[in-house]
Amino acid sequence: KVEYLDDSVEADGFFSVKGMAMPDGISDKVKVSVKNGKLAIAIGGKGVDFIDAEPFIDENDRTQIPLRYVGEKIGCTVEWNEETEEVTLKNEYNTYVFKVGSPEIHYTFTSTDNKVLVDRIDMMDTSPMIVNDRVYVPLRFVAERFGYEVIWD
């Protein structure tokens, strides 16, 4: 169910942020490739360095990524709540709250004056998970919600 808190918002059940300004030096493409047997992720032509956690393909054929590395690379803040096992991914207008083990994601979209325009629950076909003390989420879900196109090379 989608609840629009402002009648001026027009949408068809999916609120797209396509066309919003990207962080400096970033284009709107996320490229996934395999190099030396490992998944490599590039955002806007710049590789993402996964220091202590690597992306992988899960049993549902989803490319799972450690959220903090990619979230920060696309200009978002990433906050972890250990008590609730929730991670918040946020930029100027969009906030996504992922709960480990749940396919439900709480999404809010705010205006420039901080008025909540959209407040809803989105669903993924897989759930965020913790692997080696890192929260992993599907790359495509995150990238597309922030206006990026995911391409495989």
Side-chain angles (χ1 to χ4, degrees), residues 46-65:
K46 297 179 181 181
V48 178
D49 294 322
F50 296 100
I51 298 170
D52 61 355
E54 295 290 328
F56 64 91
I57 297 175
D58 72 9
E59 66 278 354
N60 297 318
D61 290 326
R62 301 290 174 258
T63 303
Q64 296 283 341
I65 49 132

Side-chain angles (χ1 to χ4, degrees), residues 44-152:
K46 297 179 181 181
V48 178
D49 294 322
F50 296 100
I51 298 170
D52 61 355
E54 295 290 328
F56 64 91
I57 297 175
D58 72 9
E59 66 278 354
N60 297 318
D61 290 326
R62 301 290 174 258
T63 303
Q64 296 283 341
I65 49 132
L67 184 58
R68 180 168 304 278
Y69 294 118
V70 173
E72 290 175 350
K73 189 80 167 182
I74 63 174
C76 294
T77 60
V78 182
E79 298 172 4
W80 168 246
N81 183 323
E82 187 171 357
E83 186 176 310
T84 62
E85 289 196 325
E86 292 178 332
V87 62
T88 301
L89 184 65
K90 184 176 185 175
N91 69 7
E92 188 174 2
Y93 303 107
N94 300 280
T95 302
Y96 285 91
V97 179
F98 299 85
K99 182 163 180 59
V100 171
S102 172
E104 294 184 351
I105 295 89
H106 183 210
Y107 170 66
T108 55
F109 180 81
T110 57
S111 64
T112 54
D113 61 355
N114 287 327
K115 183 177 180 184
V116 176
L117 300 176
V118 177
D119 187 357
R120 71 172 190 224
I121 301 296
D122 283 344
M123 297 293 289
M124 294 189 300
D125 61 357
T126 188
S127 298
M129 63 185 83
I130 297 177
V131 177
N132 296 327
D133 294 325
R134 297 285 180 237
V135 175
Y136 282 78
V137 298
L139 171 65
R140 183 173 302 279
F141 183 89
V142 171
E144 289 178 351
R145 293 313 181 273
F146 284 92
Y148 291 85
E149 176 187 3
V150 178
I151 54 174
W152 273 84

